[in-house]
Amino acid sequence: MLPKAQPAIAALRERGLDATLLTGDLAQAAERIAALVGIKNVQAGLSPEAKRLALNRLRDDHGSVAMVGDGLNDGPVLAAADVGIAVGSATDLARETAALVLPADGLWMLPWIVDVARAVRRTILTNLMWAFG
């Protein structure tokens, strides 16, 4: 999964988006993984509730937040995110609470999903403009 994550994170950054790693793992391991994939912001040692609170702080600071997760403890956070995205190898709870489920090797799809969502939003706004104009 790591080889696919680095180009996906770089492509998201090119689109003006930032990534934060919220994990229950130990800080040393989390920082090593984050460095490998190009994530600068890391919050480690978090319980599921602490992840949800961190997600809410990110939303307050940056607006809408998408969450990508695969673990049992990611379920509540995926449900709380504006867009919850589970990877195909995720636990049943993560897959059930996410709005999108990617294939097991589908992290490369994240930038494409952002592009499609932005195009759909533009189309909706244009149609509304025509409808009310």
Side-chain angles (χ1 to χ4, degrees):
M1 189 176 304
L2 286 180
K4 307 274 183 175
Q6 195 279 333
I9 297 298
L12 291 172
R13 192 172 294 114
E14 288 171 7
R15 287 159 175 78
L17 301 172
D18 199 14
T20 298
L21 177 60
L22 305 177
T23 182
D25 294 338
L26 297 174
Q28 185 177 10
E31 289 169 7
R32 185 174 51 82
I33 297 298
L36 288 171
V37 299
I39 295 176
K40 295 181 177 95
N41 304 317
V42 179
Q43 296 181 40
L46 301 177
S47 67
E49 179 61 18
K51 282 185 186 182
R52 193 182 59 74
L53 293 172
L55 180 119
N56 288 338
R57 283 191 301 275
L58 289 168
R59 183 182 291 123
D60 291 343
D61 293 345
H62 303 288
S64 297
V65 176
M67 166 76 180
V68 178
D70 66 352
L72 184 62
N73 61 356
D74 291 330
V77 189
L78 289 167
D82 296 293
V83 178
I85 304 169
V87 292
S89 60
T91 62
D92 289 341
L93 178 63
R95 285 195 310 265
E96 288 296 321
T97 57
L100 299 169
V101 179
L102 300 178
D105 64 345
L107 288 178
W108 65 269
M109 299 173 84
L110 290 174
W112 175 79
I113 290 168
V114 169
D115 293 344
V116 169
R118 287 178 172 173
V120 167
R121 183 177 188 276
R122 276 192 307 274
T123 300
I124 290 170
L125 292 175
T126 300
N127 289 343
L128 286 172
M129 182 185 71
W130 280 105
F132 294 113

